[in-house]
Amino acid sequence: MRTLKYGKHTDTKWQENWERNGIYKFNRENIEKKFYCLEMFSYPSGAKLHVGHWWNFGLTDSWARVKRMQGHSVFHPMGFDAFGLPAENYAIKTGIHPEDSTMANIATMREQLRTMGGTFDWDHEVVTCLPSYYRWTQWLFLELHEHGLAYRKEAPVNWCPSCNTSLANEQVEHGACERCNAEVTKRNLTQWFFKITAYADDLLAGHEEINWPEKTKAMQKNWIGKSTGATIIFPLEHQAETIEVFTTRADTLFGCTYLVLAPEHPLVKAVVREPFGEQVADYQEQTKRQSEIDRLATTKEKTGVFTGSYAYHPATGERIAIWIADYVLATYGTGAVMAVPGHDARDYDFAAKYHLPIVRVVQGKDGCDDSLPFVADGIVVGSSAFDGLTSEQARIAIVEHLHSQNGHAHFTTTYRLRDWLVSRQRYWGAPIPIIYCDDCGVVPVPASDLPVLLPYNVDFTPDGQSPLAKSAEFVNVPCPKCHKRAKRETDTLDTFVDSSWYFLRYPDNKNNDQPWDIDWINKLLPVDMYVGGPEHAVMHLLYARFIVKALKDMGYVNFGEPFKALVHQGIILGADGEKMSKSKGNVVSPDAYIDKHGADVFRLYLLFGFNYLEGGPWSDDGIKATARYVERVERVIERATEKMNHVGESMGGAEQELNYVLHRAIYGITQDVLDFGFNTCVSKLMELTNALHRYDMEAPTKNGPFVRHVTENFVRLLAPFAPHLAEELWASLGHSNSVHGEAWPQHDPKALNRQRIELAVQVNGRLRDKIEVASDANEDEIKTLALQAEKVLPFLTNTIVRKIIVVKGSLVNIVLG
RNA sequence: GCCGAGAUGGCGGAAUGGCAGACGCACUUGACUCAAAAUCAAGCGUCCUCUGGAUGUGAGGGUUCGAGUCCCUCUCUCGGCACCA
């Protein structure tokens, strides 16, 4: 008999026991039944685990535990996304080196994760800031470079003139620096890119084969922004060059009354004719100075200037004006558009403001309102030979016509997706393994020279250059090819590069010869279930898919998608319903609750109190209730244990009822847990607890062996959701093995059929009475009983029964009149 | 503006087109107690002429024997994208 109630001491006792016995070590042998369950690894920020970690790791752990008990060989590793800006910013503020603070944070978090009682296999831990890991991040860079997927070009970076440093997009909030709030400007630097655009179509096609939330796939689809249309070429009046535009509305070509170039368009210089040179230059300058804030303002009135020159309309030969305007983006399509003010709202605004001609070339179908600007599809008019065609037909016909005439049009596809800028002018990241030699040019560091170690003693206070550039011993290096003096690349890699392949390293994390053993990883991957926040829908999740596709093409893996199934957990809010944040003072720290109630109470509360996919506001009342439930479980099981030596093998009404609840719980939990319906799993455990209690109170005699059977199955069902408590209860039932090695209970369909069932009786769809029938009663018997039901009879006078609908096991509906 | 998700008691939340509100919190009543807590038993959407009846899942229509669930229109909330040609 146990005297001590469940509490933190129970957690400690079993955590030590599990560790000693290594019960969560991944079994490499049983690979046929492997199940790779992964949570997005965390950034070792503050020292302590917060509710969000518990919510993601603890609850997915319960899910993984069910898989284990169902006989899967679950691979459930854990690691740390340890490079990144917060540590560096913290260092700038406090002087504590990022490596020191990060490693200290990791040590604390690791310990705290252990107190969760998770099934993590720490033998496979990965820490991205260690040379043994980033060596292979650098290898990945070199492989991409060798295959033409990493390249250099000049690109603007966000620049904070006050901090004197470049900023990542994440550090720019509403056009201002997140640290000092100064207005962020742009600066051009030559930087490294990964050619993710080469995989745009593959990334779209891959969505078909993965079990992800539709919402997330839709976000990626929008992000990639595939758009099919045509490129149309406009000859210039005075120059040999031509202007190419991209359009999805070639059907409106005859409505094009002017052209607009982006102010940054390379042809602007060639096109400008006096006396417009000065105003064009001014406008370009003005655009450049424009801050992010202004650019983001969509309500802003459109502006632009005339360049002084003209192009010829490729279909009509008409002379049309060329303007520049900042509503045309240099980075999308060709950086130039054909303006069709009659059928495009933006062009319409612009044309109206600057008095440019507006003509109709599309009419609405079946008399809908087609006042200009009319942007929907319709019937083409005013377009010579193409009149009368639908927009859909004209889009094809016009392009084909121009193409065959003089090649001035062809079908094109463009994407919104940009190549991935991976250079960071920062210290705390993996150095880019490239050397610049005056003679040999850009020279990749030979793979045998990896890792390029990140030096410890570096002045990383921001002063406008990459911190590594200030370390002479880092920068100066002999060229690997000609051995003359050369210089290292001083930028580091975006931390999203680290996290885009970490799941590939887990299975083979100690391999010093290669990033992974190909055969082994092909057996363990892809990840079967990936759980993490929806905020990563486009960045991390898209990058990881891209990297895996590239690695597949390079022959390093044989699968094309890293994450077969994906689930986004919701967010736990503060008690005030707001997002938890230090400034709002609504942060809930798990530690105090765990000290007081134990880890399982905390876990059970999270499991029970919310819908996992939605989250919700924290409640102290809820956790008190959960602590009471745990006490109730202990009481009920203690009472049950006292009954276990009662003789008796009869399955009377009370036994059958309890058995019914048991099997309904087994069935329900097995179903619900599959799609993370944890709250209903716990509610079914509660129902079973209540049923056990009722049996104890009400059954005239107790069937000892049956009570043991029910109790043991209850503890098995409880095990994934309250691992320490269940282990303790299991031991108290006289077992010396771990409950976590037990098989998941199977429901007996026969037990789910009760002998007599209650049916609702409706008259014209409204509930009037209830009848009790044998569960195997046939329809005629049920109908007869229903028509005789006491409260139904008054409705049957002076009318006829039109039909009777019987829904087996549920209700009868008598339709009258 | 576009795309996506959602709206159910005082609260968290359940409901393969079939008895709305499972399970729990809070609350009310009773038992135990000198008393309180805990525990145990019971009640608990709203309204009414209250052993009964009406009504009820953001609003309004529709399909159906039957709608929280399906269809149409609208309101609001949240998330994402945002001059993408």
Side-chain angles (χ1 to χ4, degrees):
Chain A
M1 171 91 46
R2 296 167 48 244
T3 47
L4 262 180
K5 290 205 176 302
Y6 167 78
K8 201 183 176 187
H9 58 276
T10 321
D11 299 346
T12 320
K13 168 179 160 189
W14 290 109
Q15 280 158 20
E16 282 166 6
N17 177 292
W18 296 336
E19 202 139 325
R20 215 169 35 245
N21 296 315
I23 71 166
Y24 300 130
K25 295 279 176 252
F26 177 62
N27 175 7
R28 289 176 75 100
E29 304 310 316
N30 192 11
I31 194 74
E32 298 75 31
K33 293 220 74 181
K34 74 93 184 178
F35 196 97
Y36 191 164
C37 177
L38 185 66
E39 297 97 71
M40 291 180 185
F41 66 169
S42 59
Y43 181 80
S45 52
K48 300 286 175 100
L49 288 195
H50 53 73
V51 181
H53 291 121
W54 267 85
W55 181 243
N56 187 358
F57 301 148
L59 274 62
T60 306
D61 179 66
S62 287
W63 192 88
R65 283 173 176 277
V66 173
K67 285 279 166 199
R68 289 183 81 243
M69 291 179 77
Q70 288 174 341
H72 291 95
S73 184
V74 175
F75 183 56
H76 191 207
M78 181 53 70
F80 298 95
D81 190 13
F83 271 137
L85 289 160
E88 190 166 340
N89 289 343
Y90 181 72
I92 293 165
K93 221 191 301 179
T94 64
I96 298 171
H97 194 281
E99 185 175 323
D100 300 339
S101 64
T102 301
M103 294 316 285
N105 285 347
I106 288 175
T108 317
M109 281 185 76
R110 205 183 274 138
E111 278 322 299
Q112 289 227 311
L113 279 164
R114 285 177 207 268
T115 66
M116 193 182 274
T119 54
F120 312 117
D121 184 346
W122 291 99
D123 287 353
H124 288 269
E125 187 193 55
V126 151
V127 176
T128 60
C129 69
L130 296 178
S132 57
Y133 181 86
Y134 70 71
R135 165 185 184 176
W136 301 111
T137 307
Q138 292 169 338
W139 168 87
L140 175 66
F141 178 94
L142 293 177
E143 287 295 319
L144 292 169
H145 183 249
E146 191 179 323
H147 289 84
L149 293 171
Y151 67 96
R152 239 157 60 105
K153 73 170 181 195
E154 189 173 271
V157 290
N158 299 309
W159 185 260
C160 175
S162 156
C163 300
N164 209 15
T165 182
S166 64
L167 301 174
N169 284 332
E170 306 89 284
Q171 292 175 284
V172 182
E173 284 174 357
H174 307 294
C177 172
E178 67 167 6
R179 258 214 321 274
C180 69
N181 221 23
E183 207 170 274
V184 171
T185 59
K186 294 280 183 187
R187 209 184 225 209
N188 278 324
L189 292 176
T190 302
Q191 303 182 83
W192 285 95
F193 287 82
F194 285 170
K195 210 171 191 173
I196 189 172
T197 52
Y199 283 84
D201 278 322
D202 281 355
L203 288 165
L204 287 172
H207 283 148
E208 300 303 321
E209 56 181 276
I210 50 182
N211 180 15
W212 282 26
E214 287 304 319
K215 174 191 163 158
T216 310
K217 291 199 245 182
M219 277 172 72
Q220 292 200 341
K221 201 177 158 201
N222 291 340
W223 189 262
I224 293 166
K226 181 174 183 169
S227 174
T228 55
T231 301
I232 297 179
I233 294 166
F234 288 71
L236 294 171
E237 187 183 29
H238 291 109
Q239 289 91 4
E241 288 106 329
T242 56
I243 290 179
E244 294 192 357
V245 304
F246 173 74
T247 181
T248 56
R249 293 297 305 274
D251 53 313
T252 65
L253 176 63
F254 284 78
C256 168
T257 55
Y258 60 102
L259 293 182
V260 190
L261 304 181
E264 305 90 340
H265 196 287
L267 273 180
V268 173
K269 216 184 255 174
V271 160
V272 175
R273 289 174 71 80
E274 293 309 331
F276 298 96
E278 194 179 332
Q279 76 169 41
V280 167
D282 283 353
Y283 188 76
Q284 284 180 307
E285 191 53 37
Q286 184 191 319
T287 312
K288 209 189 228 166
R289 271 205 313 272
Q290 215 171 37
S291 67
E292 286 288 310
I293 301 170
D294 296 336
R295 279 241 160 181
L296 288 171
T298 50
T299 49
K300 189 185 72 152
E301 200 178 320
K302 296 188 188 352
T303 59
V305 293
F306 179 47
T307 59
S309 76
Y310 294 85
Y312 291 117
H313 191 291
T316 66
E318 246 174 278
R319 199 164 156 268
I320 58 174
I322 303 171
W323 285 61
I324 64 171
D326 68 355
Y327 80 91
V328 173
L329 306 175
T331 50
Y332 184 77
T334 61
V337 302
M338 61 177 215
V340 185
H343 304 285
D344 181 285
R346 296 155 302 181
D347 296 340
Y348 184 88
D349 291 346
F350 192 79
K353 181 173 171 186
Y354 295 104
H355 309 294
L356 294 157
I358 299 170
V359 299
R360 170 190 295 280
V361 290
V362 180
Q363 241 166 26
K365 281 178 194 161
D366 39 72
C368 64
D369 175 17
D370 63 357
S371 49
L372 300 182
F374 174 64
V375 299
D377 282 356
I379 305 295
V380 170
V381 295
S383 301
S384 70
F386 304 98
D387 285 4
L389 294 183
T390 63
S391 289
E392 294 87 344
Q393 293 165 335
R395 275 200 276 277
I396 293 163
I398 289 176
V399 173
E400 281 177 347
H401 172 75
L402 279 184
H403 185 75
S404 62
Q405 277 239 304
N406 49 19
H408 278 178
H410 54 269
F411 297 105
T412 337
T413 302
T414 55
Y415 301 87
R416 207 191 76 109
L417 184 69
R418 301 270 84 84
D419 275 339
W420 174 13
L421 198 171
V422 296
S423 296
R424 293 291 180 270
Q425 294 75 42
R426 285 300 192 142
Y427 166 69
W428 191 231
I432 294 174
I434 289 288
I435 292 166
Y436 301 106
C437 169
D438 287 342
D439 295 340
C440 310
V442 176
V443 183
V445 172
S448 55
D449 290 354
L450 295 181
V452 175
L453 284 173
L454 182 68
Y456 184 90
N457 286 316
V458 170
D459 172 16
F460 41 77
T461 50
D463 64 357
Q465 51 178 331
S466 296
L468 289 180
K470 288 177 273 182
S471 169
E473 57 178 315
F474 176 82
V475 172
N476 297 313
V477 64
C479 169
K481 275 192 189 159
C482 68
H483 305 291
K484 280 192 228 147
R485 289 166 58 126
K487 288 187 185 306
R488 284 195 193 279
E489 166 69 59
T490 55
D491 285 354
T492 53
L493 285 169
D494 178 9
T495 51
F496 277 118
V497 180
D498 307 329
S499 58
S500 65
W501 75 279
Y502 74 106
F503 44 90
L504 302 174
R505 181 66 177 172
Y506 274 137
D508 204 12
N509 65 334
K510 297 193 175 63
N511 196 327
N512 285 324
D513 306 321
Q514 46 185 346
W516 53 77
D517 179 87
I518 295 179
D519 288 341
W520 175 235
I521 198 185
N522 284 341
K523 283 183 188 149
L524 255 187
L525 274 275
V527 171
D528 295 282
M529 174 55 76
Y530 197 33
V531 183
E535 67 273 18
H536 292 109
V538 280
M539 309 275 263
H540 163 59
L541 287 168
L542 201 61
Y543 294 150
R545 293 183 60 221
F546 155 61
I547 292 294
V548 163
K549 286 181 188 304
L551 286 168
K552 186 186 182 192
D553 287 348
M554 297 187 280
Y556 289 108
V557 300
N558 71 355
F559 47 91
E561 287 289 341
F563 315 118
K564 252 201 267 185
L566 171 74
V567 163
H568 296 305
Q569 79 276 21
I571 300 170
I572 302 299
L573 305 167
D576 54 2
E578 299 285 322
K579 222 170 171 170
M580 284 192 200
S581 76
K582 275 183 197 152
S583 59
K584 291 201 192 87
N586 60 354
V587 175
V588 174
S589 162
D591 292 15
Y593 295 99
I594 290 157
D595 286 344
K596 187 167 173 196
H597 301 293
D600 287 355
V601 168
F602 196 77
R603 188 195 287 232
L604 273 174
Y605 169 60
L606 293 178
L607 287 161
F608 178 60
F610 312 83
N611 177 310
Y612 190 60
L613 307 182
E614 290 167 14
W618 176 264
S619 145
D620 268 0
D621 288 343
I623 201 150
K624 276 183 224 142
T626 311
R628 274 213 305 265
Y629 171 67
V630 166
E631 286 166 21
R632 181 173 164 83
V633 165
E634 292 184 299
R635 247 185 342 261
V636 166
I637 290 196
E638 206 169 294
R639 295 290 305 266
T641 310
E642 290 164 11
K643 309 294 186 306
M644 284 177 191
N645 51 4
H646 285 217
V647 246
E649 53 275 351
S650 73
M651 288 292 283
E655 283 78 15
Q656 284 187 22
E657 181 60 24
L658 178 56
N659 201 41
Y660 168 77
V661 179
L662 169 67
H663 285 274
R664 203 179 49 180
I666 296 173
Y667 179 75
I669 294 171
T670 308
Q671 293 288 312
D672 292 354
V673 82
L674 272 179
D675 29 84
F676 292 78
F678 298 129
N679 50 355
T680 52
C681 290
V682 178
S683 84
K684 276 160 188 123
L685 286 172
M686 287 172 167
E687 281 171 343
L688 182 52
T689 313
N690 293 344
L692 259 169
H693 174 73
R694 206 175 313 123
Y695 178 82
D696 184 54
M697 301 302 282
E698 292 171 7
T701 59
K702 312 289 190 258
N703 180 335
F706 174 67
V707 169
R708 172 169 282 274
H709 168 76
V710 174
T711 308
E712 292 191 341
N713 273 317
F714 170 76
V715 175
R716 289 189 188 103
L717 292 173
L718 179 69
F721 307 108
H724 309 91
L725 170 67
E727 193 77 302
E728 182 70 23
L729 293 171
W730 189 248
S732 80
L733 291 172
H735 297 286
S736 53
N737 67 332
S738 167
V739 71
H740 303 298
E742 287 288 303
W744 188 248
Q746 301 278 316
H747 82 275
D748 174 6
K750 286 203 293 284
L752 293 178
N753 290 324
R754 292 201 263 201
Q755 290 186 329
R756 293 193 72 74
I757 53 173
E758 193 184 61
L759 293 185
V761 183
Q762 296 180 335
V763 177
N764 286 338
R766 313 171 74 132
L767 182 67
R768 295 301 175 187
D769 205 349
K770 295 188 178 186
I771 54 173
E772 202 185 276
V773 300
S775 59
D776 56 356
N778 65 35
E779 279 206 16
D780 285 340
E781 290 167 338
I782 291 171
K783 284 179 184 173
T784 311
L785 280 168
L787 288 169
Q788 288 163 0
E790 192 188 347
K791 288 171 194 156
V792 169
L793 288 172
F795 291 96
L796 300 180
T797 51
N798 297 327
T799 184
I800 52 156
V801 174
R802 206 140 51 89
K803 61 175 162 178
I804 303 178
I805 290 154
V806 176
V807 184
K808 279 267 172 187
S810 177
L811 58 69
V812 185
N813 190 8
I814 301 168
V815 186
L816 300 178

